Each structure stands twice: as structure tokens, then as C-alpha cells.
Amino acid sequence: MQKEFITLKELLLKVKNVISSTFDTSYWISADISDFHEDPSRGHCYLELVEKNDNKLIEAKIRASIWANTYRYLKPYFEQQTGQALRAGMKVLVEVVVTFHEQYGMSCVIQNIDPTFTIGDIARKKQETILQLKEDGVWDMNKQVEMPALIKRIAVISSASAAGYGDFCHQLQMNEKGFQFSFRLFPATMQGEQAAQSVIEALDQVFEQKDKFDVVVIIRGGGATTDLLAFDEYDLAYVITQFPLPVITGIGHERDESVADMVAHTRCKTPTAVAAFIYEKMLLEESSLLELEEGIKAEIYNLLEKENLRLNDLSSCVVRDCSHWILLEEQAIGLITNQLKNAFQNSLNQQMHRVELMENTLLHVSPETILRRGYSISVANGKVVRSISQLPKGSVMRTILSDGEVESVIK
């Protein structure tokens, strides 16, 4: 016996009728957007809404759509109220109508959205990040890193093409004082879902060369609030708190302060404000050095004055003491001179007396004196005759007397 049956389409139509009769009104639901894309040709928007538990696991999921006639006014309204565009990862409160199609299954058609709910969720997440950082005990760690007195070597994290980066470099390079700065760019994506991770990777690169830099600067120009949500993420803020160099932020939005701004050592409003901060630090240090120089000069002048006075006093004392010493020395020299003169004179008299004695002695023993006494000297063959053996017969002998000479022939 053949069983009764209905077709799949008939079954799904019954489901459709049940859903249509049961869900005959709209509902406000909260959910996370896990997928988001627009159809630029038709103007529709297609989403996937999910609900996650505390472990971030998906517990419910449904397809959703915003038809063009609704999306054309809902999109600008949401962006105006929140300052950001709808995107994946955002938590929203939406008014939906449940629909069922026999081919495409169940889905939701979004008719309205509450921007205040999303704003509150963003604020809540930001506050949770702040509280977590404080509970971890790292909130003000980078603020405790000592800021160098002179900031000359700068690691810059920014998009290479960003106008803010160009303004920052130009302002430092063209400073009025002619201070010299060196800066190196570590490129990073500064908006979008990958921005936080990109900045973290750039910080890691700076860390590997931390000894080459004085500070790290994170800068980007202004933009929509949604472009800056990456700077509220916990992971990026945590890396900044742990960084061994002072981190200066100039993320370019004045109405809100990101978590990255809060945990950084110094927060400036814009990239040019960061450049101005660094320049003013140099001016302040220059002023301090000039004051120190003037103080040193004044101290040296005072010391020189004191030393001059002391030297003048010392000079007077030296002159006085030297005059007295010279007088004493002159007296001593005079005394020694007299003693030397007397000693020399005595010695000279003694030597003269000795000479006289020697002269008298020599005078008594001289040949002339001896000859005058009756003695004579005989010379033969050029030699003094001391023996008769020197005088052979026939030899000639010359005899020297006191008053003349006599020659004799030996016979």
C-alpha cells in the first residue's frame, strides 16, 4: 500500500506559512556581524548575524539582508550617529522581520538599526580593555620609562603615504634652530581589521634595534572613528605598555582618546603636534644648557676673581719674603765673600812666603852663587868633567869661572 506523502516544496511552504503566521511582526535583536558585503550594482547589503557565548563560540547564526530602499537611508544615518560604517565584527541592535523561502531557507530582513547600542558596545569594549590593562598591572609602565633629554633618533610607525607622516618629517627637518634629527620609518597599516597587528609587528621590528633609537612615534592623520578602533585593542595597548622606549602617539583625532594614547608615555593630538613636542624638548634642553653655560661662566669668573686676589696677596707675601730672604742671602754671601777673601789672602801670603824661601834657597844653590864662592866648572868634549879619566892627553878643557872662561890643553 502506497504511503501518503507531500513534496519537499509543499513541506517548506507549510513551514513558510507557519513562520509567516507565527512571526507576523518585527523583532529587535542584538547580534554580531560576522560577514558583511554590499552589492554596489543593486544597492543591497548582505550580512551574517551570529551570537557567541563567553568562549567566543557561535551559538546561533542567520543570514540577513538590507534591501536597497532601506539601506540608502539606513547607512548614512548609522554612520552619522556613530562616526563609523557597518562592518564585520561590530555588535548591533537591529529590527528584523523573519522570512522563509522554500529555496533559500530562513533569513532576516533588517528594517531599522539602533546606533546608540553600537556606540555603547564600542564604549563598553574600550572600558573593558582599560580595566583589564589596569588589573594586569601594566597600565602606566611605559609612562615610567625615562624620556631622554635630547630626542634625536626617532623610530616612526606610520603609513609611508600618509600626509601626517610627511607633515611630521617636514616640520622636524625645517625647524628654525637647525636641530638635526634622524628618523626611520617602520611602515604599518594604520586602519582596518589588520591595523593593530600591523602596528604590533612594526613595534617588534623597532624592539630588535631599540639601541639605535631614543623614542618610538606612532602617527596617522585624522579619519572616521571606525578607522581608529584598532588603537583601542588590548593586544596593541599591552605591547605599548611593555615597550622599553618611550612611545609618543599622534593618532590625529582630538575628540576621542584611544587606549593606545592612554597607555603611551606621551599623547599628542596630531602628527605635527608630535613634531612640535620633540622640537620643544630640544628648545628646552638648549635653554637649560645655555643657563648652565652662563652659570659655569659666572662661577669661573668668581673663582678667577678669588684666585686673582689670592695670587695678589701671595705675590705681596712672596715679594716681601723674597726681599727679606735676598737680604739675608746677601749678608750671608757678604760674610762668605769676606771669609773667602781673608782665606785667599792668607793662603796667598803663605804661598808668597814659600816662594821667597824657595827663591832664597835656589839663590844659595844656583851655579852663579857657587862660582862666586871660588868654585869652577870644567867642560871637555861638551861634557862636565867629573873625573880625570875624561881628560886624555891632548884634550882641550874649558873651565868656567865666575867672571869668565879659561881653555886648557891636557899634557
Side-chain angles (χ1 to χ4, degrees), residues 60-85:
K61 177 169 62 174
I62 192 169
R63 291 182 296 107
S65 57
I66 309 175
W67 303 130
N69 59 343
T70 303
Y71 192 56
R72 71 170 56 99
Y73 72 83
L74 202 59
K75 175 182 179 180
Y77 168 70
F78 182 83
E79 291 178 353
Q80 180 184 11
Q81 294 297 312
T82 64
Q84 53 190 298

Side-chain angles (χ1 to χ4, degrees), residues 32-37 48 85-91 193:
D32 294 324
I33 301 174
S34 65
D35 187 31
F36 177 89
H37 66 274
E48 185 174 69
L86 285 167
R87 59 177 177 83
M90 183 176 288
K91 196 172 189 66
E193 294 182 15

Side-chain angles (χ1 to χ4, degrees), residues 27 29-39 43-50 60-68 70-71 74 86 92-100 104-113:
Y27 297 87
I29 64 170
S30 65
D32 294 324
I33 301 174
S34 65
D35 187 31
F36 177 89
H37 66 274
E38 298 173 330
D39 183 347
H44 304 314
C45 176
Y46 301 99
L47 311 88
E48 185 174 69
L49 302 177
V50 299
K61 177 169 62 174
I62 192 169
R63 291 182 296 107
S65 57
I66 309 175
W67 303 130
T70 303
Y71 192 56
L74 202 59
L86 285 167
V92 292
L93 180 64
V94 290
E95 184 182 11
V96 300
V97 174
V98 179
T99 64
F100 185 88
Y104 306 112
M106 191 168 72
S107 65
C108 293
V109 176
I110 297 175
Q111 296 181 329
N112 202 353
I113 187 168

Side-chain angles (χ1 to χ4, degrees), residues 376-380 383-386 391 397-400:
S376 64
I377 300 173
S378 298
V379 178
K383 297 180 179 179
V384 175
V385 178
R386 291 184 173 83
L391 299 172
M397 182 179 67
R398 184 167 55 88
T399 299
I400 302 171

Side-chain angles (χ1 to χ4, degrees), residues 219-289:
I219 54 176
R220 64 150 290 161
T225 304
T226 183
D227 296 336
L228 306 172
L229 291 178
F231 297 97
D232 286 334
E233 292 193 16
Y234 175 86
D235 291 342
L236 174 56
Y238 184 84
V239 171
I240 292 174
T241 66
Q242 301 298 298
F243 212 75
L245 297 176
V247 177
I248 305 173
T249 58
I251 300 177
H253 58 120
E254 299 184 18
R255 61 181 178 272
D256 293 315
E257 187 177 22
S258 70
V259 179
D261 290 323
M262 296 176 185
V263 299
H265 185 287
T266 301
R267 183 244 177 170
C268 300
K269 294 180 179 179
T270 62
T272 53
V274 175
F277 169 79
I278 294 173
Y279 176 63
E280 288 169 3
K281 284 280 291 180
M282 293 290 283
L283 285 177
L284 180 62
E285 190 62 23
E286 181 191 48
S287 176
S288 299
L289 290 174

